[in-house]
Amino acid sequence: MKNNMERLVKELQERFGEEYEVVSVKVPKNKEVLDGFQISRRCTGYGIIFYPNFEREPDNYADFWEPIIKKYFKKGLPVDLGEILKPGFILSHLQMRLVSISRNEELLKQYKNVIVPELDLAILFNVNLNEEIDMLIPTKYKGLDVSDEELYRKAYENDADMGYKTMSLDEAANTNGEIGGGDIDDPWCMRVIRNAKGEAYGSSVLLHKDVLQKYADELGTSLILIPSSVHELIYIRDSADEAELDILQTSLLMGNMDIPDQYVLSSHLYRFDRDTQEVTIVR
């Protein structure tokens, strides 16, 4: 499969020319990492990702994908960004995307961000168009005369408007997010938090203390927060001992090894204090 992807990327790059960039990417979705390729117009910070299935497609992969890509381009993406790059559109579709500082130094040089040093995290500003298409705002982008603090405020408001949902690990794919009686009997009550309108960048809930307070009040305890990826957060009751915290962090570190750096949220465990509403690093 690797050779097929390399060949496809090379052939598409030759067909679309130097105005565009075609690269292979790995994208975490639904607890697995998908292999795909992204094509973007250079210097826009914007691209479309496709996921080929080499087992079901004809051997002439580039012939198969070229018309599909051009069909997307006719919609104005990403050849003519048009309305998408207007300030009003950007601000109305803005989300917070939390990432690890240490693992994304180059990314933070290229795109606008706000650093949250006490959590060892950075906030990137993501313009979310749909599940497959999104855009980070480049540092040198001149079309948006707004401070980073204003970007943060607007993205925070948009995330709050979309809301969050919780689910058990087993129900993660098909739940409405309600906590049931059986979960309350679980000693840890391990839950997953995601964006209520999709799975993109739900880990921003880490900064929404009112939402975390609601979950803590439901359980009657402070929370341990496990940053499983930029798309979701796992929380449990604050009842784990040191040995159990070691196990949780080891599992987190092992899981991070299979995820591209830009999708790793953190190697830390966090704690939300029910009384003070403060989020701190546990380890």
Side-chain angles (χ1 to χ4, degrees):
M1 180 174 180
K2 179 180 179 181
N3 292 337
N4 289 336
M5 185 68 77
E6 290 176 350
R7 186 179 70 175
L8 175 60
V9 167
K10 181 180 179 181
E11 291 184 8
L12 289 175
Q13 183 66 74
E14 291 173 352
R15 294 188 184 206
F16 283 89
E18 289 302 313
E19 186 179 358
Y20 299 91
E21 182 180 28
V22 186
V23 296
S24 59
V25 294
K26 291 183 178 293
V27 180
K29 282 194 175 185
N30 298 327
K31 299 185 179 180
E32 63 178 333
V33 178
L34 303 181
D35 290 297
F37 66 89
Q38 175 177 288
I39 181 166
S40 59
R41 192 173 187 179
R42 294 185 187 275
C43 303
T44 64
Y46 181 85
I48 300 176
I49 297 176
F50 300 92
Y51 302 97
N53 185 331
F54 295 108
E55 294 181 358
R56 299 182 180 179
E57 294 167 10
D59 292 337
N60 53 337
Y61 305 123
D63 288 343
F64 177 81
W65 278 103
E66 184 177 9
I68 296 176
I69 294 169
K70 287 182 176 179
K71 181 179 179 181
Y72 272 79
F73 284 1
K74 288 179 180 178
K75 299 177 182 178
L77 305 174
V79 175
D80 179 10
L81 298 182
E83 293 293 319
I84 292 174
L85 291 186
K86 290 185 177 180
F89 184 95
I90 290 176
L91 293 176
S92 66
H93 288 74
L94 209 59
Q95 282 184 282
M96 290 190 293
R97 174 173 164 182
L98 300 186
V99 296
S100 164
I101 295 175
S102 60
R103 300 181 68 137
N104 292 280
E105 293 180 357
E106 290 303 315
L107 200 67
L108 297 179
K109 292 177 184 178
Q110 298 176 43
Y111 299 101
K112 291 181 178 291
N113 64 85
V114 170
I115 302 297
V116 188
E118 65 272 20
L119 299 181
D120 193 24
L121 295 172
I123 304 169
L124 292 167
F125 300 106
N126 186 77
V127 183
N128 190 23
L129 305 179
N130 61 40
E131 290 184 358
E132 294 185 356
I133 305 176
D134 58 22
M135 175 180 69
L136 294 174
I137 301 178
T139 303
K140 297 181 180 180
Y141 181 57
K142 303 299 183 182
L144 192 65
D145 186 19
V146 177
S147 68
D148 291 347
E149 290 72 22
E150 178 63 15
L151 288 177
Y152 168 80
R153 184 191 66 79
K154 187 58 181 175
Y156 186 97
E157 291 176 354
N158 290 344
D159 284 344
D161 288 342
M162 284 187 285
Y164 299 91
K165 60 183 177 182
T166 70
M167 60 202 74
S168 69
L169 297 180
D170 291 338
E171 297 170 328
N174 56 7
T175 186
N176 62 4
E178 298 300 324
I179 293 180
D183 294 313
I184 296 297
D185 294 333
D186 180 346
W188 280 0
C189 193
M190 185 172 284
R191 309 287 297 178
V192 178
I193 307 174
R194 291 179 180 167
N195 185 296
K197 295 187 178 180
E199 297 181 9
Y201 312 119
S203 64
S204 62
V205 71
L206 192 64
L207 302 179
H208 286 261
K209 296 180 180 179
D210 56 331
V211 179
L212 295 175
Q213 183 70 44
K214 172 188 173 184
Y215 299 147
D217 288 344
E218 287 177 342
L219 297 181
T221 177
S222 298
L223 307 174
I224 296 296
L225 308 173
I226 307 165
S228 50
S229 83
V230 298
H231 295 303
E232 64 183 29
L233 201 69
I234 297 173
Y235 71 85
I236 62 173
R237 282 192 173 101
D238 183 20
S239 58
D241 59 27
E242 289 299 314
E244 291 168 332
L245 289 176
D246 284 339
I247 294 173
L248 290 172
Q249 189 167 37
T250 299
S251 298
L252 174 63
L253 293 173
M254 292 180 65
N256 285 350
M257 294 173 64
D258 296 326
I259 301 176
D261 286 346
Q262 66 266 34
Y263 294 105
V264 172
L265 178 53
S266 177
S267 297
H268 297 296
L269 299 180
Y270 298 89
R271 181 178 186 271
F272 174 76
D273 189 292
R274 185 189 180 198
D275 296 324
T276 66
Q277 292 192 329
E278 293 299 317
V279 176
T280 55
I281 294 175
V282 174
R283 53 173 60 202

